[in-house]
């Protein structure tokens, strides 16, 4: 068979003979879109090598703690798209968004009201509280909220030798009325790693590498689908231009200042501290 621009996709697709039908399906689709991409772009030999070199550098930048391919997927919106598809939710259930690379398992379970900031409390004190409920609004007792965030300097504890181990991480269990509360510091916007090939690509495209201030959550309860999500500060300068496309309207919240002395004392923050009220809805397991 003589290979041509017209027949090559069909010829290559005909070679797919895995016993795993899903593998054949995925690779056939990849071939179709990849070949169409090349037909549309018509890359020169030099451009093709630039692409190969870029992907080589992405691979070479990965190690035990750095995953540049995930960062590439995140910054191209592929992770956000995949998460939208895999987390279609009914009305009343909290929307999911990207997990990110900084989650650590085994955060300590803490008493309701405890503080997840273990250091010298640098940053602006903030109380986070709310309820976990069903999509219809019935409280879910015993739901677990696994929480993590960056410090006021915009670094997660594993990126920063000045922070104590497991700083700004904790687990909380809702009480009988589905209620939780904890103390932390107000999150700040931060840059995702910009010193590798993905950072260079973003600069070349005229894009920044910042994420708006957010707190990460994985909320789970027996009999419900867990949700991996984040809540974002409505006033953040990057709220409309998240480098990884994780922001959804339903996940934007107002951090309010606590100006009343009695309320501040009750919440365990100084006057002028912050309060975020974040409610979660979990979809029953199907
Ligand atoms: C994060 O929010 O932790 C994150 C998400 C995607 C890429 C980098 C960081
Ligand atoms: Fe984050």
């Amino acid at each position: 068979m003589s290979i041509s621009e017209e027949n090559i996709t069909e010829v290559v697709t005909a070679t797919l003979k895995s016993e795993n039908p899903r593998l054949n399906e995925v690779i056939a689709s990849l071939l179709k879109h990849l070949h169409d991409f090349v037909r549309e772009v018509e890359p020169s030999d030099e451009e093709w090598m630039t692409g190969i070199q870029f992907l080589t550098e992405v691979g070479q930048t990965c190690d035990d703690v750095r995953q540049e391919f995930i960062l590439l997927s995140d910054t191209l919106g592929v992770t956000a798209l995949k998460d939208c598809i895999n987390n279609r939710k009914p009305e009343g259930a909290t929307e999911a968004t990207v997990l990110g690379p900084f989650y650590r398992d085994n955060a300590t379970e803490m008493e309701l009201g405890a503080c997840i900031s273990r250091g010298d409390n640098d940053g602006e004190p903030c109380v986070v509280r709310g309820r976990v409920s069903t999509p219809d609004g019935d409280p879910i007792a015993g739901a677990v909220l696994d929480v993590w965030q960056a410090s006021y300097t915009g670094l997660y504890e594993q990126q920063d030798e000045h922070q104590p181990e497991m700083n700004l991480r904790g687990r909380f269990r809702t009480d009988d009325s589905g209620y939780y509360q904890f103390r932390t510091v107000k999150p700040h916007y931060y840059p995702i790693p910009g010193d590798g090939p993905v950072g260079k690509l973003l600069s070349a495209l005229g894009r920044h590498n910042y994420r708006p201030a957010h707190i990460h959550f994985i909320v789970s309860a027996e009999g419900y689908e867990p949700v991996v999500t984040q809540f974002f500060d409505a006033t953040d300068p990057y709220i409309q231009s998240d480098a990884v496309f994780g922001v959804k309207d339903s996940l934007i919240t107002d951090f309010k200042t606590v100006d009343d002395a009695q309320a501040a004392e009750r919440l365990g923050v100084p006057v002028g501290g912050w309060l975020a009220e974040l409610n979660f809805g979990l979809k029953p397991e199907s």
Side-chain angles (χ1 to χ4, degrees):
M1 153 107 40
S2 174
I3 296 299
S4 69
E5 275 182 44
E6 288 72 33
N7 72 8
I8 187 157
T9 307
E10 206 181 313
V11 171
V12 181
T13 304
T15 65
L16 303 176
K17 297 205 170 69
S18 168
E19 282 169 19
N20 176 348
R22 178 67 174 160
L23 180 61
N24 290 331
E25 182 191 346
V26 169
I27 299 299
S29 177
L30 180 71
L31 285 171
K32 175 166 157 291
H33 292 283
L34 201 53
H35 285 203
D36 280 349
F37 167 74
V38 173
R39 286 189 185 96
E40 183 178 319
V41 173
E42 299 190 349
S44 67
D45 291 347
E46 202 188 342
E47 286 171 336
W48 189 247
M49 270 321 290
T50 303
I52 297 286
Q53 188 55 40
F54 171 75
L55 290 175
T56 305
E57 271 178 54
V58 170
Q60 287 169 342
T61 307
C62 295
D63 58 28
D64 288 353
V65 289
R66 174 96 177 241
Q67 230 304 350
E68 196 77 356
F69 271 111
I70 293 184
L71 204 58
L72 182 60
S73 164
D74 294 345
T75 52
L76 294 181
V78 179
T79 310
L81 173 60
K82 180 265 299 171
D83 286 345
C84 286
I85 291 167
N86 288 340
N87 293 282
R88 294 180 183 122
K89 302 274 184 197
E91 187 77 20
T94 301
E95 288 193 276
T97 190
V98 288
L99 173 70
F102 299 116
Y103 176 68
R104 283 181 74 183
D105 210 354
N106 293 324
T108 310
E109 186 166 335
M110 297 175 175
E111 297 281 310
L112 291 179
C115 188
I116 60 171
S117 176
R118 293 161 187 249
D120 41 16
N121 254 334
D122 275 340
E124 300 172 45
C126 179
V127 174
V128 180
R129 70 177 183 188
R131 282 202 156 74
V132 180
S133 59
T134 66
D136 295 332
D138 296 326
I140 303 177
V144 175
L145 297 102
D146 200 338
V147 183
W148 71 106
Q149 68 169 83
S151 73
Y152 79 110
T153 57
L155 290 170
Y156 287 86
E157 49 87 21
Q158 69 265 59
Q159 298 176 290
D160 182 4
E161 57 183 2
H162 302 297
Q163 290 182 51
E165 181 78 0
M166 300 302 273
N167 192 33
L168 294 168
R169 296 175 190 276
R171 274 177 209 224
F172 297 90
R173 201 174 284 272
T174 56
D175 67 14
D176 286 347
S177 52
Y179 184 81
Y180 76 91
Q181 177 168 329
F182 64 89
R183 281 177 296 133
T184 182
V185 291
K186 189 167 182 270
H188 199 268
Y189 60 78
Y190 66 83
I192 57 170
D195 57 347
V198 171
K200 274 191 246 161
L201 177 65
L202 293 183
S203 303
L205 294 171
R207 281 177 55 182
H208 67 73
N209 63 328
Y210 281 87
R211 297 218 64 211
H214 58 272
I215 304 177
H216 292 262
F217 294 86
I218 299 176
V219 184
S220 54
E222 227 180 292
Y224 295 86
E225 288 185 8
V227 64
V228 177
T229 194
Q230 304 170 31
F231 272 93
F232 298 88
D233 177 0
T235 63
D236 192 279
Y238 297 104
I239 196 73
Q240 297 295 343
S241 64
D242 181 7
V244 304
F245 307 97
V247 178
K248 296 181 178 178
D249 286 350
S250 67
L251 303 176
I252 299 176
T253 194
D254 289 318
F255 284 75
K256 299 175 194 130
T257 47
V258 184
D259 296 322
D260 176 72
Q262 275 181 346
E265 194 178 337
R266 224 177 31 248
L267 292 167
V269 286
V271 172
W274 297 92
L275 170 64
E277 298 191 88
L278 311 178
N279 297 314
F280 297 87
L282 294 187
K283 178 185 174 191
E285 248 163 22
S286 40

